[in-house]
Amino acid sequence: KLLSHIYTSNDYNTFRSLLAEPGEEIGTLKSRLLPLQGSLFAKTGTMPNTRVVSLGGYVETKVGTLVFTIIANQY
């Protein structure tokens, strides 16, 4: 709900600019999800020693922007 709310706010572009992108020189997505370079804007997350990982953000497509959150437990 938070990501959807931000997407509809006037602050979306500012918020999006703060998220990691595939292929960046530095960052958590620097060598991940490279086919989505230029259209994926996301934040990764981990919980140390628990094998829980997450990724949440936006994918901009030709038909609109997808808002997503993925959480994997015992990955």
Side-chain angles (χ1 to χ4, degrees):
K1 286 185 177 186
L2 177 62
L3 291 172
S4 293
H5 175 74
I6 292 169
Y7 177 71
T8 61
S9 79
N10 292 333
D11 297 318
Y12 170 67
N13 288 326
T14 301
F15 182 74
R16 189 191 74 180
S17 73
L18 300 172
L19 297 173
E21 297 179 52
E24 286 183 318
E25 189 173 319
I26 303 171
T28 55
L29 296 177
K30 114 177 132 175
S31 59
R32 297 165 63 189
L33 303 165
L34 294 176
L36 296 173
Q37 193 169 5
S39 62
L40 175 71
F41 307 89
K43 174 73 178 105
T44 62
T46 60
M47 292 179 64
N49 304 316
T50 64
R51 296 178 56 189
V52 175
V53 295
S54 63
L55 182 68
Y58 308 94
V59 178
E60 296 179 350
T61 73
K62 293 177 184 177
V63 295
T65 299
L66 305 174
V67 180
F68 72 93
T69 303
I70 301 167
I71 301 171
N73 188 14
Q74 297 298 314
Y75 121 92

